[in-house]
Amino acid sequence: MKLLIDYADLDSIKELIALFPIDGVTTNPTILAKAGENPKDRLVKIRELIGPDMDLHCQVVASKKEEMVDQARKLVALLGENTYIKVPSSGEGFKAMEELTKEGIKITATGIYTPLQAFLAAKAGAKYLAPYVNRIDNLGYDGLGVTRKIQNILEANDFDAQILAASFKNSNQVLDLVERGVGALTLGPDVFKGLVNDKNVDFAIKTFEEDFESILEEGQTFSDIL
Ligand code: G3P
């Protein structure tokens, strides 16, 4: 399972990469707008920060197939090989996915609220399918249930696609999908930090350190005596 950061703030990305086993970064137009910089410049900076080997998912911003295809080609030329182009899972989007897949451009089908959108995107060649777990919950439906159905669809058909679940607000949503082993999850910084935000863990680690100090000399560390 891959773990990605759903954010475009450079300091936050750097901090999370230093703390967690991260495989890449996902962005969307709203996330880039919040970053407050020219979006092309920000995407280039994210690519420079994470290096050429990590995955970077960035989204086209168009409603017509031709424009989506044009933007996708330009984004891949700009950001390199391990770039996934997020294409909305709409009618025009499915046609763009087909065309771009034939060209070898890797697609993340985004804006997925229903299992049938995911089915159509997988059939159109998308490599990743991104259900919006929490946004579906907020509509009064079942975000995790939709994601499970998508997993059933992938298992029942011979699609070359995986789930990249997005839009999380709490650790329980994450835990459910980690147990199921979906292909990838993308989380914002707050949700990432919430995965290990437990005072009991902090207390246990601190206690080990304090107990150990009693068998070391003043100012000495374990490294010093190894
Ligand atoms: O890109 C889609 C996903 O990241 C949306 O997340 O937190 O805005 O619901 P959120």
Side-chain angles (χ1 to χ4, degrees):
M1 173 183 289
K2 288 193 176 184
L3 268 184
L4 298 104
I5 303 166
D6 200 23
Y7 214 46
D9 177 76
L10 299 173
D11 288 340
S12 300
I13 293 170
K14 204 184 289 183
E15 183 192 3
L16 290 169
I17 286 175
L19 295 176
F20 295 97
I22 301 290
D23 298 290
V25 170
T26 57
T27 64
N28 64 35
T30 304
I31 286 171
L32 285 172
K34 279 187 194 146
E37 187 182 16
N38 173 309
K40 178 182 173 186
D41 294 345
R42 179 52 61 106
L43 286 167
V44 168
K45 286 180 188 171
I46 294 173
R47 171 53 84 201
E48 284 168 1
L49 176 62
I50 65 176
D53 297 333
M54 279 203 195
D55 295 343
L56 176 57
H57 298 243
C58 55
Q59 191 164 331
V60 296
V61 191
S63 53
K64 292 290 172 204
K65 177 198 119 177
E66 286 72 21
E67 214 181 337
M68 292 178 190
V69 168
D70 180 54
Q71 291 178 12
R73 289 176 184 145
K74 288 175 176 163
L75 284 166
V76 170
L78 180 73
L79 300 168
E81 197 183 332
N82 291 311
T83 299
Y84 289 77
I85 303 301
K86 293 173 73 177
V87 176
S89 302
S90 60
E92 296 275 335
F94 298 135
K95 297 311 287 181
M97 290 176 202
E98 275 187 328
E99 188 166 330
L100 291 165
T101 297
K102 277 187 200 138
E103 293 179 20
I105 291 178
K106 297 187 280 286
I107 302 298
T108 296
T110 195
I112 293 181
Y113 286 75
T114 73
L116 287 173
Q117 273 179 292
F119 167 74
L120 293 167
K123 189 154 172 51
K127 290 268 181 273
Y128 280 112
L129 311 167
Y132 288 2
V133 174
N134 196 67
R135 290 196 195 189
I136 298 170
D137 283 353
N138 284 348
L139 292 173
Y141 301 117
D142 178 6
L144 294 172
V146 167
T147 307
R148 284 180 218 123
K149 273 191 188 291
I150 294 171
Q151 201 175 26
N152 293 342
I153 289 168
L154 292 180
E155 280 167 15
N157 294 272
D158 193 21
F159 290 132
D160 179 25
Q162 299 188 73
I163 291 169
L164 193 178
S167 179
F168 290 90
K169 283 296 163 284
N170 63 63
S171 296
N172 263 338
Q173 293 167 333
V174 174
L175 178 60
D176 187 281
L177 295 183
V178 168
E179 275 188 290
R180 274 163 218 288
V182 298
L185 303 180
T186 188
L187 312 176
D190 291 348
V191 178
F192 253 117
K193 290 176 184 169
L195 300 180
V196 287
N197 183 12
D198 188 330
K199 292 263 180 305
N200 292 306
V201 176
D202 297 342
F203 178 75
I205 294 169
K206 186 107 188 64
T207 304
F208 285 137
E209 286 171 4
E210 287 170 0
D211 288 348
F212 208 66
E213 274 173 19
S214 66
I215 53 165
L216 296 172
E217 288 170 19
E218 181 80 21
Q220 204 176 36
T221 68
F222 194 24
S223 311
D224 296 331
I225 60 169
L226 286 174

